[in-house]
Amino acid sequence: MEHIIIIGNGISGVTVARHIRKLSDKKITIVSAETDYFFSRTALMYVYMGHMKFEHTQPYESWFWEKNNITLKKGFVKHIETATKTLEFAEGDSLKYDKLIIATGSKPNKFGWPGQDLKGVSGLYHKQDLENVEQYAPNNKVCKRAVIVGGGLIGIELAEMLSSRGIPVTFLVREKSFWNGVLPDGESGMINRHIKNHHIDLRLGFNLKEIKSDENGQVSSIIITETGEEIPCNYVGLTAGVSPNIDFIKTSDIELGRGVKVNRFLETSVEDVYAIGDCAEQRDGGIDQRRPIEAVWYTGRMMGETLAQTICGNRIQYKPGHWFNSAKFLDIEYQTYGWVFAKPRENEAHFHWKHEDDTKCITVCYDTTTNLFLGINTFGIRMRHEVFDRWLTEQKDVNYVMDHLAEANFDPEFFKHFEKDILNAFKNNLITA
Amino acid sequence: MGTIQRNMSLTGDASDHLNTLQKIGTIIGFGGLAIIVLSLFNNFENNGLWLTISLLAIASGIILYARGLYMDKLQGIKNHGVWFKSISSRGFLGWIAGILLTGFYIILYFFAELLGLGQGVDGSNTGIVGLFDPLSRLLSGNPASQWFVYGTLYTVAILAFGIKFLMKYKHNRYEQLRTLSVMFFQTAFAFVIPELMARLNSDTFSLPYNDLKLMWPLNYYAFEQWRVDQFINAQTIGLFFLILAILIVFVVSPFLTYKYGKRWYCSWVCGCGGLAETAGDSFRQLSDKSMSAWKLERWMINAVLVFSVVMTVATISTYLGYDPNKYWFTKNVFLTSVAVFLTAVFAGVAYWKRKELKKDALTGAIGFYALTIGFIVLIAFIDLSQIKIDAANLSFGLNTKVYAGDAALRSFYAFGIGSIFSGVIGTGFYPILGNRVWCRMGCPMAGILGIQQRLFSKFRITTNGGQCISCGNCSTYCEQGIDVRAYAQKGENIVRSSCVGCGVCSAVCPRGVLKLENGPLEGRIDANQVLLGNDVDLMDLVNNKN
């Protein structure tokens, strides 16, 4: 029986395993050095905040794996010998595969800052990172202040986590406005204010120069590049993005770039070796307007759904549909469908509407020559994925979308609706523009 | 890689810290409770004054505490530290609260004289029951009973914790309206109106205590002889209430459940639900989400439903049997019509809904149906009232009465289901088993509404395309122990008989994935293996094959 080994038990690895099981009775082994069971990485923050226990982040009860005949192996792969199709483990043992799927995800970026490996410095990606935060920032007596470096999705989650335990947080963001490389100004500005309303010390346009240590090799302060200001702190969170977690593959003959190079079929340079999820890098550049490396929950899942077909004899390309994503910035939910870039590109325009309470806004992007609807960012108002996916497929124009916005509303019953305000603002905007 | 196992509940002290307002609230609230406890040992001169002080103190203590908890927080989800706090994570305080509540229920149901019921001169009340006399006289004109004490405290709890819930969910209008609704129905329908209506009773006219929204079979004594007789004897108005009670069960409730799901009752109207959603809100995360708990739930709730139907049929048929001229129905006509009705319902479901019933559900349904019909046939051939049952044999001598067969069924139901399950376990164990264990495992009303909701309702919780990140907030905070995430991560709508539509899964979802909706029956249940957002051809290929 063909033996499929999957390295990594995150959403990509587990999805491909589940789908292979649905389609076949191949022998499946999932290898992980991180945890015994699959858990939702995006939910780690809720464990620290006390919303959930770690068990709650595990989507399947432990009997699930045995019932579906999926073997789980805890171990750290230190070398892949593709010639003999063998995995060598740091623990000393080895395993033979017929097909290998690399789904090892990401690791937090470190840009060579002095002091980046001190005790009390961590990212927030692995379960071990959570344990680090718990150790060095358990409460505001042990941790008088925490500094977070890097203003992205993980940075703001970490800021929310730490402040949930009453720890004062300084949030260093390189950009002039939060996540402004992705979000248009209006949205980014609203989130800046929301962060400050949560009493988080947001420092925009500042970089980390170095992290200083005390006599025990533990963080004692950080220095800001631009001002030279020293901020005493007991924990530093490094959240300046993530990069593929592929160091252990470097000794093999699998071709690597920033990630594991794959073609559209998610096949690597070596036969019978595949890569999916955050660690895979499309060798021909990003698909559609996507990036070559997509470190997103949803794309990891979609690659898993796709690759299972190929593994089970129906060789198909990874062809994701319309772009979508979501996040939550403290109390404000964010969803996006289609493409809205931080600045309108050529022949594009943005329509921005913001509610006076400063917690809800939308940005709609459309083509100024054809009026084609290109995408929407929505904050504080839930929208239907299915409706926007259909409108994008049907290539609706922006007027149609604005007229029918109520159809896409996904807020709970009895919530106040804003479609009329939005439509009026849109019409006025066209008149004045 | 070293793993550090730390008990986070020991270190996360920010969440267990009480601010000044919370401390004041705690002192005032427990002060109010202390007055009630003190009344056991000391008959106050002025019960009316002390009762007023006590109830006001309890309510304002709860509200002040809540204000301290939420006042400086922005609008949003307030679950910080839920699993660190002793009270809400089955810690020491949780167990203490569970033991005290359970003890209270046991005294209330079985040892009311300890509360002072009828312990004074000429059977007047002393102690706690005596403390509540002035309020009871004000409303109904009669002295208090232990049930009045309980009803008053119950209402105060729903109102005060309801206000706490309103503060917690000030950003969510669905939660707000739902909570205002249970606060209203408890105060007006379960408490004030029935008490005031008792004033209409005289020597020549009397109506039973009638909470209009309390339907059979949750109200398991709805059709007992003394009640039905009282209604009939009260002529027009009594018949109106009797017919209304039947209409609510057979017409109004199925219609509303078809339109909106069982939530119209369970989380908008019901008193048990009202307490669970307000005072019990802090314990919703304690429900068991395992597959084995779900299996237990399906057997248990349907078994209680069968028991309640059999018990009610036995009761009605017995008094129809020995008093055949008094009622329109005779025993055999009644039994036949029940059997025909149940058979028609069962056959209809088995035929039209056969595709929606999985094998185990069908097996269970056939079993429970056969059991019910078997009992009905049995009741037709024997006269239960002629059977004598010595309770001493069943209760290790604790209860030495001898019951007639039908009375034995009623008493056993009232004791086992009405008192122990819904009260002692259902509410007393809030801090251990979660706030809806009765509603999930034991309530026969929820059983009926659940069957309707699963098979004949427009209600569902919609999953928003492919947006689920499997975080587990929805499942964790589902008070009914539904593994909501298991559906959401497959892009599948949630259509579960136990869902009471509290809306909290939707509220706590960080990605806007869940929405409670009423929509067309077509496509209500739809599992997707490949979720929205992926290759359209792949989605077609995989999803349509199943």
Side-chain angles (χ1 to χ4, degrees):
Chain A
M1 206 181 345
E2 200 174 37
H3 187 188
I4 314 291
I5 299 187
I6 300 158
I7 311 178
N9 68 349
I11 180 64
S12 314
V14 163
T15 304
V16 73
R18 281 177 41 241
H19 280 265
I20 294 171
R21 178 52 73 240
K22 276 178 199 302
L23 296 167
S24 75
D25 60 355
K26 293 178 198 296
K27 185 175 178 199
I28 303 173
T29 303
I30 302 180
V31 176
S32 169
E34 187 185 13
T35 52
D36 294 331
Y37 297 108
F38 168 50
F39 70 98
S40 175
R41 195 171 298 293
T42 48
L44 282 179
M45 61 183 296
Y46 298 106
V47 177
Y48 179 88
M49 298 199 297
H51 294 210
M52 293 197 273
K53 294 205 283 185
F54 182 72
E55 303 90 275
H56 297 130
T57 67
Q58 296 169 172
Y60 304 98
E61 289 185 65
S62 47
W63 50 258
F64 175 88
W65 308 102
E66 200 179 334
K67 182 178 170 235
N68 288 291
N69 198 16
I70 295 172
T71 308
L72 305 179
K73 175 175 167 59
K74 187 123 185 235
F76 184 84
V77 177
K78 68 164 196 220
H79 178 64
I80 303 170
E81 188 51 63
T82 55
T84 56
K85 293 190 165 185
T86 308
L87 299 183
E88 291 166 17
F89 289 90
E91 292 79 6
D93 52 339
S94 63
L95 262 185
K96 290 236 174 210
Y97 65 84
D98 295 303
K99 288 193 170 121
L100 178 68
I101 300 168
I102 301 167
T104 48
S106 300
K107 59 181 187 347
N109 282 336
K110 290 182 175 180
F111 291 116
W113 293 296
Q116 65 182 15
D117 294 318
L118 289 171
K119 285 189 263 180
V121 181
S122 78
L124 181 69
Y125 188 90
H126 293 103
K127 177 160 186 266
Q128 287 71 24
D129 294 329
L130 179 72
E131 284 156 2
N132 256 314
V133 188
E134 185 62 46
Q135 183 177 356
Y136 294 103
N139 55 50
N140 56 17
K141 294 188 184 66
V142 173
C143 180
K144 305 277 187 232
R145 177 167 290 276
V147 174
I148 295 167
V149 181
L153 298 179
I154 299 179
I156 194 166
E157 284 183 2
L158 193 50
E160 180 180 3
M161 286 164 60
L162 293 159
S163 57
S164 80
R165 293 206 189 173
I167 297 169
V169 177
T170 296
F171 191 9
L172 291 191
V173 174
R174 186 184 56 182
E175 293 80 18
K176 290 287 177 221
S177 182
F178 175 78
W179 213 34
N180 204 198
V182 176
L183 298 182
D185 289 341
E187 301 170 347
S188 170
M190 186 180 87
I191 301 300
N192 290 340
R193 293 185 292 277
H194 187 62
I195 293 170
K196 289 176 183 165
N197 287 342
H198 272 271
H199 311 295
I200 291 164
D201 173 26
L202 177 65
R203 307 280 187 98
L204 295 170
F206 290 109
N207 285 279
L208 174 69
K209 186 175 172 203
E210 66 169 302
I211 306 169
K212 291 194 157 183
S213 106
D214 64 10
E215 60 280 11
N216 303 317
Q218 204 168 318
V219 173
S220 64
S221 67
I222 61 113
I223 310 273
I224 293 179
T225 310
E226 286 75 10
T227 57
E229 183 189 352
E230 180 168 5
I231 301 175
C233 59
N234 306 97
Y235 171 79
V236 175
L238 299 179
T239 57
V242 294
S243 47
N245 179 24
I246 54 169
D247 288 348
F248 73 101
I249 310 173
K250 287 179 178 158
T251 56
S252 79
D253 53 1
I254 300 165
E255 187 189 347
L256 302 177
R258 284 200 297 133
V260 183
K261 292 271 192 188
V262 293
N263 61 15
R264 291 293 167 94
F265 293 90
L266 304 166
E267 297 158 340
T268 68
S269 61
V270 176
E271 201 178 354
D272 290 335
V273 180
Y274 308 81
I276 54 174
D278 290 16
C279 67
E281 179 184 356
Q282 285 290 331
R283 64 169 67 246
D284 302 324
I287 299 169
D288 185 16
Q289 299 169 67
R290 291 162 184 262
R291 296 174 186 181
I293 298 174
E294 294 179 293
V296 177
W297 175 273
Y298 308 114
T299 51
R301 186 188 67 211
M302 291 192 282
M303 289 186 221
E305 290 166 350
T306 308
L307 181 60
Q309 296 288 327
T310 301
I311 297 277
C312 296
N314 174 29
R315 185 168 179 265
I316 59 169
Q317 288 190 17
Y318 170 54
K319 268 195 307 192
H322 301 294
W323 172 255
F324 71 98
N325 201 0
S326 71
K328 192 172 181 187
F329 304 109
L330 298 151
D331 296 318
I332 300 179
E333 287 171 24
Y334 154 73
Q335 297 176 336
T336 184
Y337 301 105
W339 293 109
V340 182
F341 290 92
K343 299 260 182 286
R345 295 174 302 176
E346 206 184 336
N347 297 328
E348 280 182 6
H350 283 178
F351 161 68
H352 180 68
W353 169 90
K354 185 166 74 64
H355 189 262
E356 62 193 18
D357 76 2
D358 211 23
T359 66
K360 300 171 195 77
C361 72
I362 67 163
T363 301
V364 173
C365 180
Y366 59 96
D367 188 308
T368 46
T369 52
T370 61
N371 261 350
L372 191 67
F373 168 73
L374 298 174
I376 184 169
N377 282 352
T378 168
F379 289 75
I381 301 174
R382 293 176 174 180
M383 304 264 187
R384 267 179 217 271
H385 186 181
E386 188 267 328
V387 172
F388 277 111
D389 195 76
R390 193 175 68 233
W391 286 346
L392 287 163
T393 301
E394 292 171 354
Q395 305 204 314
K396 295 292 186 197
D397 72 47
V398 67
N399 295 307
Y400 178 92
V401 169
M402 299 310 288
D403 279 335
H404 293 79
L405 208 51
E407 270 176 48
N409 186 290
F410 199 71
D411 270 337
E413 295 152 296
F414 306 114
F415 270 44
K416 202 161 181 280
H417 281 238
F418 304 100
E419 288 88 9
K420 273 189 194 146
D421 293 358
I422 294 171
L423 186 61
N424 287 336
F426 179 66
K427 284 178 177 161
N428 291 336
N429 188 57
L430 289 185
I431 293 163
T432 53
Chain B
M1 225 175 279
T3 50
I4 308 149
Q5 291 297 330
R6 288 171 72 101
N7 182 348
M8 296 191 183
S9 63
L10 292 179
T11 53
D13 61 0
S15 38
D16 242 351
H17 170 82
L18 297 185
N19 61 31
T20 314
L21 203 52
Q22 283 173 291
K23 285 175 189 159
I24 294 172
T26 307
I27 292 168
I28 295 179
F30 277 97
L33 269 182
I35 294 175
I36 292 182
V37 175
L38 278 178
S39 71
L40 273 178
F41 311 105
N42 175 21
N43 277 319
F44 297 119
E45 297 262 314
N46 190 340
N47 273 336
L49 179 67
W50 283 109
L51 179 64
T52 311
I53 293 173
S54 162
L55 295 181
L56 282 178
I58 292 173
S60 52
I62 294 167
I63 294 165
L64 284 175
Y65 182 93
R67 177 132 178 79
L69 190 59
Y70 302 127
M71 66 179 168
D72 56 352
K73 305 274 198 325
L74 298 182
Q75 298 194 357
I77 293 304
K78 308 274 182 286
N79 287 333
H80 289 346
V82 162
W83 286 98
F84 302 150
K85 291 177 189 165
S86 179
I87 184 76
S88 56
S89 62
R90 286 191 204 102
F92 178 70
L93 291 179
W95 278 95
I96 293 291
I99 291 166
L100 289 177
L101 275 171
T102 309
F104 169 73
Y105 274 94
I106 289 173
I107 292 172
L108 178 78
Y109 282 122
F110 308 114
F111 305 101
E113 65 278 4
L114 293 179
L115 301 175
L117 181 71
Q119 298 301 297
V121 187
D122 299 330
S124 67
N125 295 320
T126 62
I128 294 180
V129 184
L131 179 68
F132 282 72
D133 272 342
L135 182 61
S136 181
R137 286 190 199 284
L138 183 74
L139 289 168
S140 68
N142 303 319
S145 65
Q146 78 271 38
W147 304 121
F148 181 81
V149 173
Y150 180 50
T152 310
L153 292 175
Y154 199 101
T155 307
V156 168
I158 287 184
L159 289 177
F161 283 107
I163 290 170
K164 175 173 183 261
F165 195 85
L166 291 173
M167 292 180 187
K168 182 176 177 183
Y169 281 102
K170 60 185 166 193
H171 62 291
N172 189 315
R173 278 184 83 197
Y174 180 79
E175 298 302 332
Q176 295 238 318
L177 291 175
R178 184 172 71 70
T179 304
L180 288 170
S181 174
V182 292
M183 288 163 74
F184 166 76
F185 276 102
Q186 173 61 30
T187 314
F189 280 60
F191 188 62
V192 176
I193 295 175
E195 290 293 337
L196 289 179
M197 278 183 53
R199 283 191 171 270
L200 301 176
N201 290 354
S202 64
D203 293 342
T204 54
F205 176 86
S206 115
L207 279 174
Y209 192 93
N210 192 22
D211 174 356
L212 273 180
K213 67 168 176 53
L214 187 60
M215 297 189 278
W216 179 87
L218 177 56
N219 178 358
Y220 54 88
Y221 46 83
F223 301 113
E224 286 183 15
Q225 189 176 17
W226 59 272
R227 264 180 81 93
V228 172
D229 283 354
Q230 261 189 316
F231 278 131
I232 291 174
N233 293 339
Q235 305 208 333
T236 315
I237 186 150
L239 281 178
F240 168 77
F241 283 126
L242 185 60
I243 292 167
L244 191 61
I246 295 168
L247 279 181
I248 288 177
V249 175
F250 290 102
V251 180
V252 178
S253 166
F255 175 72
L256 290 174
T257 307
Y258 171 73
K259 292 270 285 184
Y260 308 112
K262 77 200 260 189
R263 57 184 173 149
W264 80 267
Y265 192 71
C266 297
S267 66
W268 283 73
V269 172
C270 179
C272 302
L275 191 73
E277 294 292 349
T278 51
D281 173 60
S282 305
F283 310 110
R284 58 172 58 249
Q285 66 282 355
L286 302 175
S287 59
D288 189 338
K289 277 82 181 179
S290 66
M291 181 72 92
S292 47
W294 184 17
K295 286 183 177 160
L296 176 69
E297 164 198 317
R298 303 205 309 172
W299 283 103
M300 195 174 280
I301 190 165
N302 290 308
V304 174
L305 175 57
V306 167
F307 186 12
S308 75
V309 169
V310 168
M311 188 272 295
T312 306
V313 169
T315 301
I316 296 175
S317 70
T318 306
Y319 65 73
L320 291 179
Y322 65 68
D323 224 353
N325 301 323
K326 189 170 167 186
Y327 309 96
W328 309 316
F329 264 146
T330 65
K331 175 180 170 180
N332 285 337
V333 172
F334 172 70
L335 287 177
T336 312
S337 32
V338 171
V340 168
F341 175 75
L342 289 177
T343 306
V345 169
F346 179 80
V349 168
Y351 179 74
W352 277 295
K353 298 285 175 181
R354 60 188 180 279
K355 284 184 194 139
E356 292 177 31
L357 291 175
K358 288 196 177 158
K359 199 169 151 245
D360 54 345
L362 192 65
T363 312
I366 291 172
F368 281 125
Y369 167 76
L371 197 66
T372 316
I373 295 297
F375 271 110
I376 291 175
V377 171
L378 191 71
I379 295 165
F381 285 100
I382 55 167
D383 185 350
L384 281 175
S385 61
Q386 296 307 310
I387 300 172
K388 299 293 174 221
I389 294 173
D390 184 355
N393 297 332
L394 300 169
S395 66
F396 308 104
L398 288 173
N399 182 346
T400 53
K401 290 185 199 151
V402 175
Y403 291 92
D406 60 316
L409 263 183
R410 274 202 301 281
S411 305
F412 185 65
Y413 188 94
F415 171 78
I417 310 296
S419 305
I420 298 292
F421 205 155
S422 80
V424 178
I425 297 175
T427 312
F429 285 19
Y430 268 10
I432 310 301
L433 299 174
N435 57 333
R436 282 278 194 179
V437 70
W438 156 250
C439 311
R440 177 188 183 190
M441 301 274 183
C443 174
M445 186 77 242
I448 293 183
L449 296 176
I451 293 168
Q452 286 175 25
Q453 168 160 288
R454 183 67 178 71
L455 296 171
F456 313 100
S457 174
K458 297 158 83 75
F459 173 70
R460 86 291 309 274
I461 302 175
T462 307
T463 295
N464 197 6
Q467 288 279 26
C468 177
I469 52 165
S470 299
C471 72
N473 272 293
C474 51
S475 296
T476 305
Y477 286 92
C478 177
E479 55 189 354
Q480 290 287 50
I482 299 171
D483 189 359
V484 183
R485 164 174 59 191
Y487 301 87
Q489 67 191 359
K490 285 190 284 185
E492 184 176 359
N493 290 343
I494 296 102
V495 181
R496 277 278 289 271
S497 52
S498 65
C499 174
V500 293
C502 71
V504 168
C505 57
S506 161
V508 298
C509 175
R511 303 301 173 104
V513 174
L514 302 163
K515 177 171 162 66
L516 281 63
E517 287 190 279
N518 313 305
L521 293 179
E522 220 166 281
R524 191 164 158 254
I525 304 171
D526 58 337
N528 292 317
Q529 299 305 341
V530 171
L531 274 72
L532 185 60
N534 208 336
D535 183 358
V536 189
D537 298 334
L538 177 64
M539 282 159 52
D540 284 349
L541 173 77
V542 177
N543 294 341
N544 295 340
K545 208 158 57 182
N546 292 310

